[in-house]
Amino acid sequence: MVEPSLEEVFPALRGQTHAITSPRDDRYNCIAWAAGDDRNWWWPDPDQEDAWPAGVAREETVAAFRDAFATLGYQVCDDERLEEGCEKIALFALADVPKHASRQLPNGRWTSKLGPREDIEHSLHDLTGIVYGSVVLVMRRPRKVGHLTG
């Protein structure tokens, strides 16, 4: 069976500038990628040992994901605009259930890991739709020297 194209899965990508920036890799997911981790799978599954931060509720809620990113120094902010000296993450949810996270790049565009598929560079809202829902939370922290940038 042929895997659907990114534009078939995420129709808002059609006609928009986006680029695949990595090969497929099922070692890590979007939450890990947004957190700067390309070696582990982050999800609050209570039955699975993974890289989910210790002490953070293992539940699929916006609050739990907010708390997970807070362990990395992120704080809730008002918008996704590029801010000098800051890096941002955006959490997507569908019916208040977290589905995806993206990380802002220094150029103001966003990077996402699409499940076990590739990483892509895109405009933030190009992933809005029936798969990931929409952005429900944006957080920022001071940019760290040497942090993943792509």
Side-chain angles (χ1 to χ4, degrees):
M1 175 178 255
V2 175
E3 184 172 61
S5 72
L6 292 179
E7 292 84 1
E8 289 171 315
V9 177
F10 303 102
L13 283 174
R14 286 190 189 116
Q16 302 301 318
T17 303
H18 63 281
I20 294 173
T21 56
S22 77
R24 289 181 64 93
D25 191 332
D26 60 4
R27 289 178 303 162
Y28 64 101
N29 65 349
C30 61
I31 306 304
W33 182 242
D37 181 351
D38 64 356
R39 293 189 173 92
N40 297 291
W41 193 274
W42 286 40
W43 201 258
D45 184 344
D47 299 323
Q48 181 177 343
E49 287 299 319
D50 59 11
W52 192 251
V56 176
R58 285 186 170 269
E59 56 189 27
E60 293 181 12
T61 64
V62 172
F65 282 72
R66 180 200 62 220
D67 293 348
F69 283 106
T71 68
L72 302 173
Y74 285 95
Q75 297 178 336
V76 175
C77 65
D78 294 332
D79 63 62
E80 71 262 14
R81 288 185 302 215
L82 182 64
E83 291 183 48
E84 185 69 32
C86 290
E87 55 188 357
K88 293 186 177 183
I89 61 93
L91 182 68
F92 288 71
L94 188 61
D96 293 323
V97 177
K99 298 292 182 184
H100 180 69
S102 293
R103 177 171 30 93
Q104 192 175 44
L105 296 168
N107 65 6
R109 296 197 33 92
W110 293 79
T111 180
S112 288
K113 174 71 162 81
L114 304 175
R117 293 180 69 151
E118 305 88 354
D119 304 335
I120 67 166
E121 182 176 320
H122 59 94
S123 293
L124 181 59
H125 298 285
D126 289 348
L127 298 181
T128 298
I130 63 170
V131 176
Y132 289 155
S134 59
V135 175
V136 296
L137 178 70
V138 179
M139 300 178 77
R140 73 173 175 217
R141 71 176 180 188
R143 185 166 305 283
K144 294 182 177 182
V145 176
H147 184 249
L148 286 175
T149 59

